[in-house]
Amino acid sequence: MRSTMERFEEYWSGGDPVTMNRFLMKTITPMITIVTSYVLFVTWIGPAIMKNRKPIQMRKLIIVYNFGLVAFYLYFLLRIFDLGYQLLVVRYIELLDTVFLVLSKKFNMITPLHVFHHSIVPVFGWFGFRSESSGYLAVFMAVNCVVHIVMYTYYAIAALGPKYQKYIWWKKYLTSLQILQFFVMTLYTNIMFAIGCTTSKFTFMFCTFLSVLFFFLFINYYKRAYKSEDKQQVTEKNGVTANGIHETNGIHSKNVKQKNGVPAAYRNAMKKEK
C-alpha cells in the first residue's frame, strides 16, 4: 500500500519534469521549512532576540538589496520563458524584507497581511510549478514583475535618505497599480481556464483565490491609507503630511504621521544613520 507521501508526490508531478527536479522543488520539505522558519522568526524569534538590543543599522544593505531586485525583475522580463524557476527562488530571497524590519526593530511595519503575503507566494509557486505544465502563468509572472520593479524602486528611493523623499510622492499610484494587477490577473486566469489553457484545476483555483483575496485586501488598504489623507491633507513644499499607512506591500501601521509616504519615525531613524 502506498504511503500518504507517495500519493502526494504522485499528485503533484504534472509540471515540467526539469523544473520539478531542481533545487527547492524535488520535495515539499524545503518550501515548508523555509516558510515556517520565516513566519516563526518574524513573528516570534526575531522580536524576542531584538527586544533588548539596539536596532541594526542596515540602510546601505537595504538600498543594494532593493536595487538588486529591481535589476533582476528587469532582466526577468527579457527572458520570461526561461527564468520562471529563478523567479520562484527570488521570492524566497524577498522574505528578507521582513527580516530587515525585525533587525531594524521596525515592528510596527510587520503586520499579518505582510507576513501572509510573503509566506503564501513560495507556497503557491511550489504547487504551481509542480502541477501546471502549460505556460499561461508566464503572463501572470510578467505582470507581477512590472509591479515589483515599480515597488522595489520605491523602496530603494525611500531607503536613500530624507533628501530623496520628495521623489516618492507617487505611493498612492503604486497601490493603485497593485490593485489593478490583481483585477487583471483574476480576469486573465479565468479566461485561460475557460478556453482550456490550464492543465491543473488546483493551480487555477489557488491562483484565482489569491488574486481575488489580495484584490479586496489592497482595496481595504487603499481606503485606510488614503481616504483620511484626502480629507486631512495639508499642502507642503514637498508633498503631503497625513495620518495613514507607510508601505504598499501589506506593511502598514495606523495613525503614523507621514510626509511623502514615509513615517516621521522612519525618517528620523534614517537621519541618525547619515
Side-chain angles (χ1 to χ4, degrees):
M1 181 179 294
R2 294 179 302 166
S3 65
T4 302
M5 184 57 69
E6 288 174 335
R7 290 195 295 270
F8 179 86
E9 291 289 349
E10 180 179 332
Y11 188 74
W12 301 112
S13 299
D16 176 64
V18 175
T19 301
M20 288 193 299
N21 286 291
R22 287 179 170 176
F23 176 63
L24 298 175
M25 293 299 299
K26 289 184 179 181
T27 69
I28 197 173
T29 303
M31 181 270 286
I32 293 296
T33 301
I34 293 173
V35 172
T36 302
S37 299
Y38 162 76
V39 173
L40 289 176
F41 180 82
V42 301
T43 61
W44 176 50
I45 299 174
I49 292 174
M50 297 301 297
K51 183 177 180 180
N52 298 316
R53 290 177 168 83
K54 293 181 179 181
I56 299 175
Q57 304 303 323
M58 311 183 68
R59 185 160 63 92
K60 292 182 179 179
L61 174 60
I62 292 173
I63 291 172
V64 173
Y65 169 80
N66 285 316
F67 278 125
L69 287 174
V70 171
F72 169 80
Y73 280 115
L74 285 170
Y75 179 61
F76 177 85
L77 284 176
L78 299 176
R79 298 186 56 192
I80 186 170
F81 292 104
D82 297 327
L83 300 178
Y85 164 75
Q86 286 78 357
L87 178 63
L88 176 60
V89 173
V90 169
R91 303 320 282 266
Y92 286 104
I93 295 175
E94 287 187 34
L95 300 181
L96 290 173
D97 284 350
T98 326
V99 175
F100 293 153
L101 292 176
V102 171
L103 298 179
S104 301
K105 300 190 73 170
K106 296 182 174 69
F107 302 130
N108 64 312
M109 296 182 183
I110 304 173
T111 65
L113 175 57
H114 171 74
V115 175
F116 172 70
H117 181 266
H118 271 307
S119 302
I120 201 65
V121 172
V123 176
F124 169 72
W126 191 91
F127 283 110
F129 278 113
R130 291 284 307 197
S131 61
E132 182 58 55
S133 60
S134 72
Y136 83 98
L137 286 178
V139 175
F140 189 105
M141 291 185 287
V143 173
N144 188 250
C145 279
V146 172
V147 174
H148 275 70
I149 289 170
V150 179
M151 184 179 73
Y152 280 108
T153 298
Y154 173 89
Y155 292 163
I157 296 174
L160 286 173
K163 65 180 181 180
Y164 292 93
Q165 303 312 306
K166 61 183 177 182
Y167 299 115
I168 54 173
W169 51 268
W170 41 273
K171 179 171 72 80
K172 183 176 182 178
Y173 301 101
L174 172 55
T175 307
S176 299
L177 179 63
Q178 291 175 308
I179 293 173
L180 178 63
Q181 169 197 208
F182 296 121
F183 174 78
V184 169
M185 295 322 304
T186 300
L187 182 64
Y188 168 75
T189 52
N190 279 271
I191 291 176
M192 291 299 100
F193 181 78
I195 64 179
C197 288
T198 67
T199 59
S200 169
K201 290 184 178 180
F202 176 84
T203 302
F204 159 72
M205 291 187 293
F206 199 178
C207 186
T208 301
F209 168 75
L210 290 180
S211 296
V212 172
L213 175 63
F214 282 117
F215 175 76
F216 285 107
L217 287 176
F218 273 82
I219 284 182
N220 181 61
Y221 163 80
Y222 186 96
K223 291 179 179 178
R224 294 177 62 187
Y226 306 115
K227 290 302 181 181
S228 59
E229 182 177 297
D230 291 337
K231 295 178 181 179
Q232 304 174 18
Q233 67 179 13
V234 178
T235 303
E236 295 185 351
K237 180 180 179 180
N238 292 329
V240 175
T241 299
N243 291 334
I245 301 170
H246 168 49
E247 292 292 0
T248 55
N249 192 25
I251 309 174
H252 56 278
S253 57
K254 297 180 180 178
N255 301 320
V256 178
K257 290 186 177 180
Q258 298 186 59
K259 182 177 180 181
N260 299 320
V262 180
Y266 188 41
R267 294 200 313 274
N268 293 335
M270 289 191 294
K271 288 179 182 179
K272 293 179 181 179
E273 293 179 27
K274 291 186 66 179

